[in-house]
Amino acid sequence: MAAVLLLGAAMLLSPWERVFTPAGVRFLADEDPLYHVLRAERILHGEPGALWADPGLDYPLGARILWPPGYDALIAGAARLLGGAGASRADLERVAAFAPVAWGLAALALFTTLATAWLGRRAGLVAALLAAVSPMGALYGLLGRPDHHVAELAMFCAVLLAFERAARRAQAGTSTAALALLLAAAPWIWQGAALYPVALAVFVAVLHVVQPAGVDAARAARALARGALAGAVLLGLSLVLLQPPDALRPHSLNGISAFHPFLLLGVGGAMAALSRMGGVPGRAGPAARTVQALAAGLVPSLLLGLAFPEAVAHGLRVLGAVDPIYRTIDEQQPLFFGARYALQDELTHAATSMGPLLLAPLLAIASFRRRWAEAPAERLGLALAAFGAALFLPLTLHATRFGIYLAPFAELAGGLLVAGLWERRGRWRLLAGASLALLAYPAFFLVRPGPAPAVEEDLVSALSWLRSRARPDRAVLAPWQLGHAVQYYAGLPAVVTPFATDLGPGGMRDLAAFLYAPTPEAAAEVLRRRRVGYLLFGDMESPVANLLDFAPPGAPLLVRSGFGRFRGRRLEALPAYERSIPSWLFDFDGVPERFADREALGTYRLVYETRRLPRIPYRLFEVVEGAVLEVTGAGASERVTAAAPVMTNQGRRFTWWTAARADAAGRAWLRVPYETGLNGAVAVGPYTVRAGAHLARVSVGELAVSRGDRIPCDLAEPVPPPR
């Protein structure tokens, strides 16, 4: 155990230099760790409502946070113990960086315990060795990845171990109590832990039907019934004591609610009924036992569906990945033959993250049968291992999200396979060594190159800069993948985040309404309603294509999305895209360019941009009222222009300009978004207003831009000398 844990610790701590950088702690893989740490910071500092809701989500509506608060509260508690209630964000980040390592080692210790108990010492330690180095599970416990997935794995292994011991022993009070505590605690870490008792109930139902020799299905049903019913009571009490009142009402799967204890009650009731039906082995045949199992589960399933339709529907949407946005989330993609990546890329991903362990459950069938015959006392654990592999292997092929649950069962199979070859002696031992090396080789990809930082350093700098000057009551509208980074580094509300449609489709629809807006007025209406102060744009073709399903009715196709089995997903911007708001701002800086039939976007000003290389830059636009230049002295119907030189913080130069037609009296009104001088990190010179041979130079102040003031400009006046 000690050797396995030391090896596991070495693997989990391997990204040290990528996490602890001269610029500070940097989290890995994706943006979810950012929100976990942000919420832990709010809990640590005692912000009202931080456990349950966030007014900065789906702004300005606010939303119930998708995740339960347990994982984040533990990070906050650890930070308080080490640094006190006044711990800084830097202190909290350091603590959070080690949180997944602690959970990962706990999961490894639990897995080693169950593996050596079910498989025997040799096969169990080989399985534990694979668990220590395999990216299937260890990837989620890496230093600098404080996401709840690794805690899911630890809780899942603990539930498996407690259930097996409670179901196998005649006097199993301690194990049953542990099972009840775990089933009550798991939903506080992740709401999807509702699947744990359901999966165990399906396993017991299969035992009831098959009645394998040496396995007491009725005892297993009683153990799960007792654990689930006691867990329901404990979980219900915790909800009453810790949650706001609406937690006891039917609710979606955001956070934790009355759905979870009632689900445990349903599982407990179904298992209690099944244990009575199976009390006398041999009384009913397989067909009758199948009917009994289905009947035991049907009633609680119907009652839960009627009492909690929203929660059940939410769970089924996630499980089936039927929401349009799920088609753009990697963890919801099939392992093979998805609609985002070429088959070659999918095979590479499977080889580096899972490798031959994916096939281990099939390759270890012969070794499993020998262990089944040799160890009758461990048949319940072996049956559970076989059931887990049979359940989660197809689920992982359906959605890679389930790979973390396949991991322990694939590693058990790998241990059986290698130990079975070793026991044959002679040349078979060479094959056993080769098999172990082959099963463990993805470990090299876990260490090098390993997961990349969640957010590019340039974007961190841009959002940190924004934090120092933005109004806290104004939101940032950005592609939904960047929402957690916006809240964490800029400290501003976000309209959409990686919580996506789990908070409801409203944010996605409004983002799509802006991106697909047919006119600047339609786009401005969305921004007013959502109280948006800043836009964060980068490579916009992909967000535009991904949000087509949320676009307003009749919206034109802007980006064509194609897919080739050997080329993956390809995007093609159509001619209509160049006339869209995102292209108008990002590609043309908001000026008319070659579209002479429109004015400039006079209510958006560029205030910051990142470097152009090695990737497409990010650009921050501020939403302003825009000053109005009241031009007089032009000819009737004459074209009037206003132009100002712009230099960005990256040294890029361009000319911002707009145009309008004078009326019969020679008057024209031009809306301009930039003040003369510094606009954030962007320098802008005076405007040159021109109509035919007449021109004037105008300087615009910040108050005029922010309030929408009117500034007179008479083309008949002499041109002031340039400053």
Side-chain angles (χ1 to χ4, degrees):
M1 173 79 82
V4 167
L5 290 177
L6 284 173
L7 178 60
M11 297 297 292
L12 298 181
L13 293 171
S14 61
W16 187 283
E17 293 180 354
R18 280 174 284 147
V19 175
F20 297 109
T21 73
V25 174
R26 293 294 180 258
F27 300 116
L28 303 178
D30 57 40
E31 287 196 1
D32 284 355
L34 298 177
Y35 196 82
H36 280 295
V37 179
L38 177 65
R39 190 190 198 184
E41 181 181 47
R42 293 169 175 172
I43 294 171
L44 175 65
H45 295 157
E47 293 188 21
L51 286 174
W52 320 114
D54 182 353
L57 291 173
D58 197 15
Y59 194 76
L61 303 177
R64 189 183 180 92
I65 301 171
L66 176 62
W67 301 319
Y71 183 81
D72 305 330
L74 288 173
I75 294 176
R80 186 182 182 92
L81 283 175
L82 295 173
S88 67
R89 170 171 284 191
D91 296 331
L92 184 64
E93 288 177 333
R94 285 190 287 270
V95 171
F98 285 98
V101 179
W103 280 104
L105 292 177
L108 185 56
L110 290 163
F111 177 78
T112 305
T113 302
L114 69 85
T116 51
W118 297 357
L119 307 185
R121 182 176 178 81
R122 179 180 294 117
L125 287 176
V126 173
L129 173 67
L130 293 173
V133 302
S134 170
M136 288 184 75
L139 180 66
Y140 299 95
L142 287 177
L143 179 78
R145 193 175 183 181
D147 202 349
H148 61 265
H149 296 314
V150 66
E152 294 176 45
L153 180 60
M155 298 297 287
F156 186 54
C157 289
V159 166
L160 291 177
L161 185 60
F163 165 73
E164 188 270 342
R165 292 191 170 184
R168 184 166 54 87
R169 299 180 179 181
Q171 302 296 326
T174 302
S175 297
T176 302
L179 178 62
L181 285 171
L182 289 166
L183 291 178
W188 284 98
I189 300 295
W190 181 61
Q191 68 269 40
L195 290 174
Y196 302 169
V198 172
L200 291 176
V202 174
F203 168 67
V204 172
V206 172
L207 290 182
H208 178 82
V209 173
V210 177
Q211 294 288 330
V215 178
D216 190 338
R219 178 181 292 174
R222 286 194 296 273
L224 183 55
R226 292 166 181 164
L229 292 173
V233 173
L234 293 174
L235 184 54
L237 288 174
S238 70
L239 280 173
V240 171
L241 292 173
L242 300 174
Q243 273 277 47
D246 68 342
L248 301 182
R249 302 174 186 170
H251 204 279
S252 72
L253 284 183
N254 289 2
I256 183 171
S257 72
F259 171 76
H260 293 89
F262 276 99
L263 176 68
L264 285 175
L265 282 176
V267 169
M271 292 299 98
L274 202 61
S275 68
R276 296 181 65 86
M277 295 176 190
V280 183
R283 175 174 290 180
R289 293 197 297 270
T290 302
V291 173
Q292 292 171 351
L294 292 174
L298 183 62
V299 173
S301 298
L302 288 174
L303 291 176
L304 281 169
L306 291 173
F308 300 92
E310 185 181 351
V312 172
H314 189 168
L316 292 176
R317 285 198 307 270
V318 175
L319 186 64
V322 296
D323 193 294
I325 207 64
Y326 291 150
R327 294 197 291 267
T328 69
I329 300 176
D330 284 347
E331 69 177 27
Q332 297 289 354
Q333 298 301 304
L335 188 59
F336 303 112
F337 306 112
R340 282 179 61 80
Y341 301 106
L343 180 59
Q344 178 182 352
D345 296 331
E346 293 173 338
L347 291 171
T348 301
H349 168 72
T352 56
S353 63
M354 300 179 183
L357 268 178
L358 186 64
L359 302 175
L362 301 176
L363 299 175
I365 291 177
S367 299
F368 172 84
R369 293 177 65 181
R370 282 196 300 273
R371 179 66 182 171
W372 183 272
E374 294 169 357
E378 305 302 337
R379 285 183 179 176
L380 179 62
L382 290 170
L384 190 52
F387 172 79
L391 174 64
F392 289 108
L393 180 56
L395 283 175
T396 301
L397 295 175
H398 165 69
T400 57
R401 170 69 170 84
F402 292 99
I404 192 172
Y405 291 102
L406 174 62
F409 302 109
E411 290 151 3
L412 289 172
L416 276 175
L417 175 63
V418 173
L421 293 172
W422 182 267
E423 290 166 1
R424 294 189 177 190
R425 301 181 182 279
R427 295 180 179 178
W428 289 99
R429 291 196 169 181
L430 292 176
L431 183 58
S435 299
L436 178 59
L438 195 61
L439 291 172
Y441 90 84
F444 293 104
F445 301 100
L446 180 66
V447 177
R448 288 290 183 272
V455 183
E456 303 99 319
E457 201 62 38
D458 280 354
L459 183 56
V460 173
S461 299
L463 292 174
S464 300
W465 172 87
L466 181 60
R467 186 187 193 99
S468 66
R469 73 182 307 275
R471 289 176 53 183
D473 61 338
R474 294 296 178 183
V476 176
L477 186 68
W480 61 269
Q481 296 93 331
L482 303 179
H484 290 338
V486 165
Q487 286 195 286
Y488 189 81
Y489 289 113
L492 296 176
V495 177
V496 288
T497 68
F499 291 141
T501 52
D502 286 317
L503 304 183
M508 291 295 189
R509 288 174 181 165
D510 280 342
L511 174 58
F514 176 83
L515 298 178
Y516 283 86
T519 64
E521 291 74 21
E525 191 279 327
V526 174
L527 301 183
R528 280 193 297 270
R529 180 157 39 82
R530 286 290 182 168
R531 301 181 192 172
V532 171
Y534 291 88
L535 306 174
L536 175 60
F537 284 172
D539 180 5
M540 295 305 297
E541 291 184 11
S542 181
V544 167
N546 293 340
L547 288 167
L548 178 61
D549 290 304
F550 298 93
L557 184 64
L558 302 179
V559 178
R560 180 184 292 118
S561 179
F563 180 78
R565 172 48 50 205
F566 298 101
R567 296 191 308 128
R569 189 186 189 211
R570 294 293 183 270
L571 300 177
E572 178 190 359
L574 300 177
Y577 176 72
E578 289 191 345
R579 300 187 67 90
S580 68
I581 299 294
S583 176
W584 195 350
L585 279 172
F586 186 84
D587 298 323
F588 303 116
D589 296 301
V591 301
E593 284 292 336
R594 57 182 176 274
F595 302 112
D597 60 334
R598 62 186 184 186
E599 301 177 5
L601 292 173
T603 57
Y604 308 89
R605 60 177 174 182
L606 179 68
V607 291
Y608 194 99
E609 67 178 6
T610 63
R611 294 174 296 178
R612 295 184 63 85
L613 296 175
R615 54 157 298 145
I616 295 175
Y618 289 101
R619 289 178 179 150
L620 271 169
F621 293 89
E622 185 177 7
V623 182
V624 295
E625 287 293 325
V628 178
L629 302 181
E630 291 188 330
V631 181
T632 56
S637 301
E638 192 170 24
R639 189 169 186 262
V640 182
T641 62
V646 179
M647 185 173 72
T648 74
N649 55 299
Q650 296 297 333
R652 183 173 67 93
R653 297 175 182 270
F654 67 91
T655 298
W656 189 94
W657 62 276
T658 187
R661 288 286 175 186
D663 62 13
R667 296 173 301 179
W669 292 265
L670 301 171
R671 188 174 294 275
V672 296
Y674 290 97
E675 69 163 309
T676 301
L678 273 181
N679 295 255
V682 174
V684 181
Y687 291 91
T688 299
V689 182
R690 189 184 302 271
H694 301 278
L695 64 88
R697 288 193 177 91
V698 180
S699 293
V700 176
E702 173 62 21
L703 286 178
V705 168
S706 61
R707 296 186 309 201
D709 291 349
R710 294 174 176 265
I711 300 175
C713 173
D714 189 354
L715 292 178
E717 293 290 331
V719 178
R723 291 187 296 174

